Amino acid sequence: MVRFHRQATAVLCCLSFHISFCTLAADKLRFVLYYPQVPPYMYVDQQTNKVVGLVPELLEEHFAGQKVKLEFVLDNRRGAEHRLYSGDVDAMLLAPEWTKKPQQLIFSDLVLQHRDYLFALKPFANGSSIKDWLAGKTVCTRQYYVYEALEPFFSQHNTTRVDASSELAQMKMLQSGRCDYAYINEHVARWLQQHQFADTALYQSPEHFGEVALRVAFHPSWQPYLSGFNQYLARQHQQNNINKKLMFYIQQR
């Protein structure tokens, strides 16, 4: 009987520790705000100095009901990924294929998808192909990013890569003539044209170069909250709220 009592006490102690750990984890979610920032997904509104965008709104809407406070941590994508593995931050927006150690993280269901396009200052010729567009041309890209769809053109068709620090910098370089195309995802490009380059005629390639499924990557300590967050995302998709919120931030003035 004494032996059973000791075992039961040990189990209760372990259970108490687990509950305390979960409660502590639920106090605050340290989410990465990318630098350079990525509107309309997440960015600081210059007028209010508040973090806004599709992703912060979704997180705040869900985790407020879980009594979890959001804390935004400014970092670049590469540095933040390493901090996520160690638990120095709790979550960030990622695609699993972008990560070096996806098995060390847990991923939410789909938040949203985007497609990458070439953007130019003049129309794409009717009937032209991707090779016609890129052979011997220069493309503004993001520094440190790997572009599998473009690599064959960089290596075989004399296409030149010109790196920039952000999508905004890519667009400025395109506008100044430093490259023939900017390679940017559709949502960021639309936000930039609406908010930063409204007087610039911008043309999108007839074909896209890949589709990326963005998810929230969590440190494994947040496993108890993953199911609830996924259920929330499912409801938002079913009601088309994510597309509505995305369009709101793209079109907002």
Side-chain angles (χ1 to χ4, degrees):
M1 180 67 71
V2 173
R3 182 179 179 184
F4 172 80
H5 176 74
R6 287 176 179 172
Q7 289 177 339
T9 301
V11 170
L12 286 173
C13 288
C14 291
L15 181 60
S16 297
F17 174 81
H18 179 70
I19 293 173
S20 298
F21 176 79
C22 291
T23 302
L24 178 63
D27 289 341
K28 184 189 300 182
L29 175 66
R30 297 162 298 179
F31 191 86
V32 175
L33 177 67
Y34 283 141
Y35 181 81
Q37 295 175 49
V38 190
Y41 300 156
M42 48 186 173
Y43 58 104
V44 176
D45 184 283
Q46 294 184 352
Q47 294 182 345
T48 64
N49 204 35
K50 293 182 178 180
V51 177
V52 297
L54 170 66
V55 176
E57 182 174 342
L58 293 173
L59 292 170
E60 288 171 356
E61 193 171 88
H62 172 70
F63 282 104
Q66 309 298 313
K67 302 188 185 307
V68 176
K69 182 180 179 181
L70 287 181
E71 177 182 307
F72 293 100
V73 180
L74 193 65
D75 204 344
N76 62 62
R77 201 206 70 77
R78 178 180 289 185
E81 182 181 337
H82 292 290
R83 295 177 69 183
L84 185 58
Y85 294 135
S86 67
D88 187 39
V89 295
D90 299 313
M92 59 191 293
L93 187 68
L94 275 178
E97 60 267 28
W98 292 351
T99 61
K100 291 186 176 181
K101 303 174 183 177
Q103 71 279 4
Q104 294 187 20
L105 304 174
I106 56 174
F107 291 89
S108 75
D109 291 341
L110 176 72
V111 176
L112 78 161
Q113 290 179 308
H114 67 223
R115 295 170 294 183
D116 296 320
Y117 288 88
L118 291 173
F119 290 88
L121 299 180
K122 58 184 180 180
F124 291 78
N126 291 331
S128 59
S129 66
I130 294 175
K131 184 177 179 180
D132 296 327
W133 306 336
L134 287 172
K137 303 294 185 179
T138 56
V139 183
C140 282
T141 52
R142 278 291 302 275
Q143 190 177 22
Y144 306 124
Y145 280 38
V146 176
Y147 298 100
E148 294 182 0
L150 298 182
E151 286 303 325
F153 297 94
F154 295 146
S155 61
Q156 302 171 23
H157 298 288
N158 199 33
T159 304
T160 302
R161 172 176 180 160
V162 182
D163 280 347
S165 60
S166 67
E167 285 85 353
L168 176 60
Q170 287 176 259
M171 288 290 291
K172 288 181 176 178
M173 291 165 68
L174 174 67
Q175 192 177 47
S176 67
R178 291 188 59 188
C179 50
D180 298 297
Y181 305 105
Y183 188 80
I184 307 176
N185 88 61
E186 57 189 321
H187 301 141
V188 174
R190 288 181 66 184
W191 189 95
L192 286 170
Q193 185 170 30
Q194 179 79 8
H195 294 263
Q196 301 283 346
F197 300 92
D199 298 328
T200 301
L202 194 64
Y203 298 92
Q204 178 179 299
S205 59
E207 298 180 37
H208 66 273
F209 287 76
E211 195 161 337
V212 176
L214 292 176
R215 306 171 188 272
V216 175
F218 291 94
H219 184 270
S221 62
W222 284 81
Q223 181 69 56
Y225 310 102
L226 186 61
S227 177
F229 184 58
N230 284 339
Q231 291 173 21
Y232 165 78
L233 289 176
R235 291 194 299 271
Q236 296 303 303
H237 281 297
Q238 186 178 25
Q239 298 166 11
N240 201 35
N241 286 338
I242 289 181
N243 285 333
K244 291 177 183 177
K245 293 176 190 294
L246 178 63
M247 290 303 105
F248 169 79
Y249 286 105
I250 289 175
Q251 297 168 3
Q252 185 186 40
R253 281 293 186 179

